[in-house]
Amino acid sequence: MRPTFEPAAVPSREGWTGQSRIHFRAILNSYSEVLFLRGWRFGAVILTVTLLSPNVALAGLLAVLAAYAFARFIRMAPTFMDSGFYTYNPLLVGLSLGYLFRLTPLTVFFVVTAGISAFVLTHALFSASWHYLRLPVLSLPFVLVSSVAYLAAGQYTNLYVDSLYPRSVLALETAVPLWLGGFLRSLGVIFFMPTVVAGAVIAIALLVRSRILFLLAILGYYDGTLTLSALGGSTAAAFSDLNAFNFILISTALGGVFLIPSLRSYTLAIIAVVVSTVLMTSAEIFWSLYGVPVFALPFNLVTLTFVYILGLVDFPLLAKTSGTPEEVLDEHLAGASRYPGSHRTLALPFSGRWTVWQGFDGPWTHQGPWRYAYDFVITDDQGETHRGEGTRVEDYLAFRKPILSPVRGRVVRVVDGVPDNPIGVTDRSRNWGNLVVIEDERDFFVEISHFSEGSLKVREGDWVERGAPLGLCGNSGYSPQPHIHIQVQVNDRVGAPTVPFSFISYAEGRVFHANDTPSQDTVVEPLHPDRRLENRLGFVLDEVHRFRVSGCDANRFPGLGPGELELTVRMAPDSTFYLDSGKGRLFVGSKDGTFYAYRVDGDDPCLAAMFLALPRLPLANRPGLIWKDALPATLVARGPLRMALGLIRSLFPAWGAVTAELEMVTEETVAGRIRSPLLSSPWESRVDLHPIRGFERIQIGDLVLERIDET
């Protein structure tokens, strides 16, 4: 079950792995997906656990192989199959049938057809649920197919005559206290292995892989069983109910997978588990009439309902990326500081230095439906907006200065012919004065107001690129002095209600901002990308970069020794480029005048060092610029602290934050310093760009990556 609403396509890397190894890992990924995790190693542990009951293990594996073979037969894209997203439901169906029936030629046929059915239903349900409701599919296909199979099996006499088999109970099962044994058996029953041994192995593996999910599993189980105990009056009955695995799945899904781990997500998980107890009891009673287990129906209904409602209210902690809860939390906390702006991004609508006269929720006119707007004026060294007494409109520094298009799009409204007000007079009848409304190609509208009369250079229907001249700054409409008013709105109507937006690639003095909202009274200046610098950091698909690794720092990057590093430029299915080392991937790209290192996947300390040394770079190529960036804390934490870091930060988000302070020293060199309470002292870094493409030299602490050019 994916931590995001859509299945993430994992690029298949042939070559060093080999095609057979890719298929093997894809099958193992099906096992890890059941507990919302990625990774074939975790899947291998779960597969090993199921071998405690060979019949169950073989039936599950057979169902996955059948689904996988069918997907290949219909030529489904391998990148989507390799993730395990489409095959974990067939796996669960196979395990459920293997738990009930001994494998015979007849049951093999039954398992294969059920596995293929679960795969087809997974694909169909996901397409519908994601397209119409933006919801995941979870294990609903497994519940439906297994319920149908159990109901149908009641009419298949040969199955009951030839294929039912006894299951032994180990002495250990009765030696463990009921409160602990119930939890472990509930963990095991997720994979149809309701034993203490199976549950203990899964619990240990879960603890190693994700402390947050382990905590939520415990929290959900005891929250649900104690509620059942209070309602039913029997603690023993509550701890003996194997359907309590639903509580574990609900808690982990809502507390740490579909929501960013936090006190609020943990609280929601507790509430959802309590709500599910009544549903689970009623479902048990209803399904028992037909001799069918309740399976994971309560988990699916409660989780999908909560996720849907939270999506409707635009709950701020809905997860938008995938990975372990620790990884998602780390990326979320760093991203909140890395990307403070909005997805509605505008360039500043002028050149040179202008001053923010009024911003969002401004003290004068930016209120109510028009709260999200900016006003800009030009000021001199003394902060004055005019020359002399400022009694004439021509005295003002902004008057008849060029206004540039902040976006690319279609001009949909133009108003001209409103005269410029004399100073001291405002036109309340024509509030917005001369204006232009542009429909951005990203489905929002930008209104720029108070142009000077007769200065507009565009007409309705014109297409404009970012930076194209629109007209000249004026004093028309409700304007006490010449200024630029800009807002983003929900439709093309003049003066429509506004929505949040932000500005890209600008400087406040020496400080660079990639995407942000400047404060009132700050002086800002747009920065424009340097084509040469863009080309240097514009990586080319299949290009190979080789580095000599030396001066390794065992404290900062344990396990890394001298040698060579080879990076190949590859492209993910979402068109994002990444540098592939074989052990990990560093995702990079340029957007809106800034080069970004987005994230590191895998476990390669060299890629982590590259990310830390240059998490972002303004492409304006202006020596002296300085900027800050927030970094994932897991890149600097070590040992037991790293394992506990995610759980700690879910409770205390500000703890252990990592900040990079960077400066463009020359056109080719960026120096940095990394600070964090997790570090005994700051880490110094330096990056030298290659004259043609990529990096010439990267140093962080004593670790040095030096480019090896082909001769």
Side-chain angles (χ1 to χ4, degrees):
M1 286 164 262
R2 301 298 302 172
T4 51
F5 296 151
E6 288 189 278
V10 179
S12 296
R13 297 199 300 275
E14 301 187 27
W16 73 273
T17 56
Q19 192 65 34
S20 59
R21 185 174 295 183
I22 292 174
H23 294 324
F24 178 66
R25 291 184 176 183
I27 292 169
L28 292 179
N29 286 335
S30 306
Y31 290 79
S32 57
E33 286 279 348
V34 175
L35 287 175
F36 311 106
L37 292 168
R38 286 183 186 175
W40 65 271
R41 291 183 178 86
F42 184 80
V45 172
I46 301 301
L47 173 59
T48 304
V49 170
T50 63
L51 290 173
L52 292 172
S53 176
N55 197 84
V56 172
L58 291 175
L61 191 58
L62 183 61
V64 173
L65 290 172
Y68 198 77
F70 181 78
R72 295 297 188 191
F73 179 74
I74 63 175
R75 297 187 177 182
M76 187 174 183
T79 52
F80 290 99
M81 281 303 302
D82 293 348
S83 69
F85 175 83
Y86 290 101
T87 48
Y88 72 80
N89 274 292
L91 166 66
L92 291 172
V93 169
L95 294 174
S96 71
L97 293 177
Y99 181 75
L100 184 62
F101 298 115
R102 178 174 54 87
L103 283 183
T104 65
L106 188 60
T107 53
V108 165
F109 170 78
F110 200 44
V111 168
V112 167
T113 55
I116 294 174
S117 299
F119 168 79
V120 172
L121 190 59
T122 298
H123 206 321
L125 281 181
F126 173 73
S127 298
S129 65
W130 175 248
H131 181 75
Y132 292 106
L133 301 173
R134 284 295 188 264
L135 283 177
V137 71
L138 297 182
S139 56
L140 200 55
F142 147 66
V143 172
L144 295 175
V145 172
S146 287
S147 297
V148 168
Y150 272 48
L151 286 169
Q155 300 299 313
Y156 299 151
T157 309
N158 282 346
L159 287 175
Y160 279 89
V161 171
D162 297 334
S163 304
L164 291 176
Y165 67 100
R167 285 174 289 275
S168 59
V169 178
L170 299 175
L172 178 64
E173 297 297 316
T174 57
V176 177
L178 187 58
W179 62 269
L180 177 59
F183 169 69
L184 295 177
R185 280 188 284 270
S186 292
L187 261 181
V189 83
I190 294 173
F191 296 93
F192 291 87
M193 300 294 298
T195 66
V196 168
V197 173
V201 175
I202 294 171
I204 293 170
L206 191 62
L207 175 62
V208 172
R209 192 73 177 91
S210 172
R211 275 62 58 197
I212 291 176
L213 288 187
F214 180 77
L215 170 69
L216 286 167
I218 294 174
L219 187 68
Y221 176 78
Y222 290 106
D223 175 32
T225 51
L226 291 176
T227 302
L228 280 181
S229 175
L231 292 172
S234 173
T235 303
F239 285 138
S240 300
D241 191 343
L242 293 180
N243 286 320
F245 78 89
N246 280 279
F247 303 146
I248 294 175
L249 292 178
I250 291 170
S251 179
T252 52
L254 290 176
V257 177
F258 293 107
L259 300 180
I260 304 296
S262 63
L263 282 173
R264 292 178 75 183
S265 75
Y266 299 162
T267 303
L268 277 170
I270 291 173
I271 294 171
V273 167
V274 171
V275 167
S276 72
T277 55
V278 176
L279 174 63
M280 191 181 79
T281 302
S282 61
E284 287 175 342
I285 295 170
F286 179 81
W287 283 109
S288 66
L289 299 175
Y290 303 95
V292 176
V294 71
F295 291 122
L297 183 62
F299 154 65
N300 281 273
L301 293 181
V302 171
T303 302
L304 290 174
T305 302
F306 269 70
V307 170
Y308 182 68
I309 293 299
L310 294 172
L312 287 180
V313 300
D314 199 19
F315 190 66
L317 293 179
L318 279 171
K320 297 179 176 61
T321 57
S322 60
T324 66
E326 285 81 358
E327 292 167 347
V328 172
L329 174 64
D330 201 22
E331 188 172 340
H332 168 77
L333 293 177
S337 299
R338 291 198 81 192
Y339 313 111
S342 165
H343 65 279
R344 303 182 191 93
T345 52
L346 280 60
L348 288 169
F350 47 75
S351 59
R353 294 181 175 86
W354 289 60
T355 300
V356 178
W357 190 27
Q358 192 178 189
F360 291 171
D361 296 303
W364 306 302
T365 55
H366 296 177
Q367 301 289 325
W370 305 282
R371 59 182 297 197
Y372 298 114
Y374 266 85
D375 290 339
F376 295 98
V377 295
I378 297 178
T379 57
D380 59 19
D381 294 340
Q382 286 71 46
E384 296 292 340
T385 60
H386 56 80
R387 307 176 191 88
E389 297 298 321
T391 56
R392 300 179 309 136
V393 70
E394 292 81 5
D395 295 338
Y396 285 78
L397 302 175
F399 185 61
R400 296 192 68 82
K401 290 295 188 293
I403 299 178
L404 310 177
S405 176
V407 295
R408 65 192 310 264
R410 184 77 61 188
V411 177
V412 294
R413 293 282 184 275
V414 173
V415 174
D416 201 356
V418 180
D420 291 299
N421 302 315
I423 298 302
V425 176
T426 56
D427 188 344
R428 294 179 179 271
S429 63
R430 292 171 289 190
N431 224 21
W432 306 98
N434 302 310
L435 61 90
V436 172
V437 177
I438 303 171
E439 182 180 8
D440 188 280
E441 59 182 355
R442 294 166 291 176
D443 295 326
F444 58 82
F445 297 85
V446 180
E447 179 181 316
I448 306 153
S449 305
H450 310 306
F451 285 87
S452 184
E453 182 182 13
S455 72
L456 290 170
K457 302 180 182 299
V458 294
R459 296 178 296 177
E460 292 182 5
D462 286 352
W463 179 269
V464 292
E465 294 291 330
R466 185 179 286 170
L470 300 177
L472 303 178
C473 178
N475 199 40
S476 58
Y478 188 68
S479 175
Q481 66 170 306
H483 72 283
I484 299 173
H485 174 94
I486 186 169
Q487 65 186 44
V488 174
Q489 51 194 48
V490 296
N491 57 48
D492 64 350
R493 183 171 55 83
V494 173
T498 59
V499 290
F501 63 95
S502 54
F503 296 105
I504 57 167
S505 195
Y506 66 91
E508 290 183 14
R510 291 179 58 205
V511 180
F512 166 71
H513 295 268
N515 180 2
D516 211 340
T517 49
S519 303
Q520 186 165 318
D521 298 326
T522 57
V523 179
V524 295
E525 176 186 8
L527 299 174
H528 304 290
D530 180 279
R531 186 67 63 184
R532 294 173 302 167
L533 188 53
E534 277 188 309
N535 290 336
R536 284 186 184 184
L537 295 171
F539 293 97
V540 178
L541 189 63
D542 293 331
E543 194 173 50
V544 177
H545 299 256
R546 293 182 176 87
F547 295 87
R548 184 177 295 107
V549 183
S550 61
C552 302
D553 190 328
N555 292 324
R556 292 181 174 90
F557 304 101
L560 182 62
E564 290 189 3
L565 172 68
E566 181 175 293
L567 301 177
T568 304
V569 181
R570 302 190 186 278
M571 186 170 66
D574 63 357
S575 299
T576 304
F577 282 88
Y578 62 91
L579 305 178
D580 188 351
S581 71
K583 294 193 300 181
R585 301 187 293 272
L586 173 62
F587 289 82
V588 298
S590 297
K591 183 179 181 181
D592 294 332
T594 303
F595 169 81
Y596 293 95
Y598 292 115
R599 71 178 191 276
V600 177
D601 284 354
D603 188 21
D604 190 325
C606 289
L607 296 181
M610 295 176 72
F611 184 101
L612 291 169
L614 194 66
R616 81 172 68 193
L617 175 68
L619 297 175
N621 206 351
R622 182 182 293 187
L625 278 180
I626 59 175
W627 63 97
K628 289 185 177 182
D629 209 344
L631 305 178
T634 50
L635 292 180
V636 302
R638 296 289 176 260
L641 178 59
R642 182 174 183 176
M643 294 189 67
L645 188 62
L647 185 55
I648 295 171
R649 298 196 78 197
S650 70
L651 303 172
F652 308 101
W655 189 85
V658 181
T659 303
E661 301 167 352
L662 301 117
E663 178 180 1
M664 182 178 285
V665 180
T666 69
E667 293 184 359
E668 288 82 21
T669 302
V670 176
R673 175 171 292 182
I674 300 165
R675 302 178 185 273
S676 172
L678 303 174
L679 306 175
S680 57
S681 61
W683 293 2
E684 305 290 338
S685 66
R686 177 187 172 97
V687 176
D688 296 312
L689 300 181
H690 190 269
I692 298 175
R693 196 180 320 278
F695 309 113
E696 178 71 26
R697 188 175 185 273
I698 298 173
Q699 180 173 359
I700 180 165
D702 296 329
L703 174 65
V704 178
L705 307 177
E706 199 158 11
R707 176 80 164 259
I708 303 173
D709 282 325
E710 298 291 337
T711 57

